[in-house]
Amino acid sequence: MALFGGIEAGGTKFVCAVGTGPDDVRAVTRFPTTTPAETIGRVIEFFRSQPEPVTAIGIGAFGPTDPDPASPTYGTITSTPKPGWQNTPLRKLVADALGVPVAFDTDVNAAALGEYTWGAARGIDTFIYLTVGTGIGGGAMVEGRMLHGLVHPEMGHIRVPHDWAVDPFPGFCPYHGDCLEGLAAGPALERRWGTRAETLPPDHPAWPLEAEYLAQALVSYILILSPKRIVIGGGVMHQPALFPLVRTRVKELLAGYVQSPAILEGIDTYIVPPALGDRAGVLGAIALAQGQR
């Protein structure tokens, strides 16, 4: 049986795996994202140490990136705010070192592909995958094809209404200040409230505010892309109180305008967590390798 490699190249950590799917992961490793030389070196060492070689590798990477296979800089991490990683040709470095085909996409598109192949979006040809963690990113499939366009979607950097009287926090995005990511990613919660999101109790005022920002964004995505399902992962979404708050607020903001039973009657199965959990990214990278999408 052919084996495939997956690399979830996150801004905080890398996850590498070898296998064929969620029920067949032969090896996995995780390590912090440090310098490109050290981090990519560990990736190469992991795959070289496996008892069986992989047929192909898929990479889902933090960005912004160049995901266009026709571009001379395909697979490069471009204008990222992460120090030291600007203009890093990640795909090329891995492909040259290991000598196998390497498919490349954004980390959220890879996670979306994982959920489409094995998880919460299985059988659904138009949907969104959003991650809310250290940053906020979104991937989309439209009629069975991952959405790229000019570069790739940057759903975390849309503007959302910011009531400065209610929330005087200016946002932390180095490019936009109070975009969605700047107001609602994990670092925004920590800086606003003085403690990490996972330590905030379910009844803390952080969560209605977080739900407001996420719901405002989801309504925009719903009205623009008309997804048949929205899957939301990431560490911030581990707070159990958040999903019910987001679902309720999305319905309120839509105000009955989108006349679909999926929203009017089935919101609990319309906005859902990833079925693959925190493995969606690396499994999606394996799916990338399998399909060379």
Side-chain angles (χ1 to χ4, degrees):
M1 179 185 294
L3 291 179
F4 299 90
I7 303 170
E8 181 184 5
T12 302
K13 72 177 184 298
F14 269 51
V15 183
C16 302
V18 171
T20 62
D23 298 325
D24 179 31
V25 176
R26 310 288 179 90
V28 64
T29 187
R30 298 171 177 83
F31 44 85
T33 306
T34 56
T35 65
E38 179 181 8
T39 307
I40 297 169
R42 294 186 70 171
V43 168
I44 293 165
E45 179 184 3
F46 169 77
F47 285 108
R48 283 179 174 168
S49 71
Q50 298 307 307
E52 297 179 72
V54 296
T55 300
I57 292 173
I59 301 176
F62 71 94
T65 70
D66 180 354
D68 180 4
S71 168
T73 57
Y74 171 51
T76 295
I77 295 173
T78 59
S79 58
T80 177
K82 188 166 182 64
W85 281 83
Q86 295 86 357
N87 303 311
T88 298
L90 177 58
R91 191 205 70 86
K92 184 177 188 302
L93 290 170
V94 172
D96 288 351
L98 297 174
V100 296
V102 177
F104 183 91
D105 210 328
T106 65
D107 49 0
V108 282
N109 265 2
L113 183 61
E115 289 294 322
Y116 173 74
T117 306
W118 296 297
R122 192 168 184 175
I124 298 175
D125 66 357
T126 301
F127 70 96
I128 286 170
Y129 179 94
L130 193 73
T131 184
V132 186
T134 305
I136 296 180
M141 177 175 281
V142 178
E143 296 183 349
R145 296 179 63 87
M146 299 308 304
L147 180 62
H148 294 105
L150 181 67
V151 182
H152 52 78
E154 283 286 2
M155 297 185 194
H157 291 270
I158 68 167
R159 297 286 184 172
V160 290
H162 181 187
D163 186 334
W164 288 82
V166 172
D167 179 23
F169 179 66
F172 80 96
C173 175
Y175 287 91
H176 313 117
D178 61 346
C179 61
L180 176 65
E181 179 173 288
L183 291 171
L189 274 78
E190 183 174 356
R191 296 183 196 186
R192 183 189 286 112
W193 302 108
T195 186
R196 293 179 63 83
E198 59 264 32
T199 69
L200 296 169
D203 58 352
H204 194 279
W207 301 118
L209 182 64
E210 179 75 3
E212 177 68 24
Y213 289 135
L214 294 177
Q216 292 280 1
L218 293 187
V219 165
S220 293
Y221 307 148
I222 290 167
L223 295 174
I224 294 168
L225 291 176
S226 198
K228 297 175 183 177
R229 182 163 292 166
I230 297 174
V231 184
I232 315 180
V236 171
M237 300 306 299
H238 290 172
Q239 169 52 250
L242 198 47
F243 269 101
L245 289 169
V246 169
R247 291 170 181 140
T248 297
R249 190 63 180 135
V250 165
K251 286 187 70 174
E252 291 172 351
L253 290 168
L254 285 170
Y257 183 72
V258 178
Q259 288 288 306
S260 168
I263 292 173
L264 298 176
E265 302 163 15
I267 194 76
D268 288 353
T269 56
Y270 180 71
I271 300 172
V272 299
L276 301 177
D278 293 336
R279 300 194 302 162
V282 73
L283 289 170
I286 287 175
L288 267 176
Q290 291 172 331
Q292 292 290 278
R293 289 176 171 83

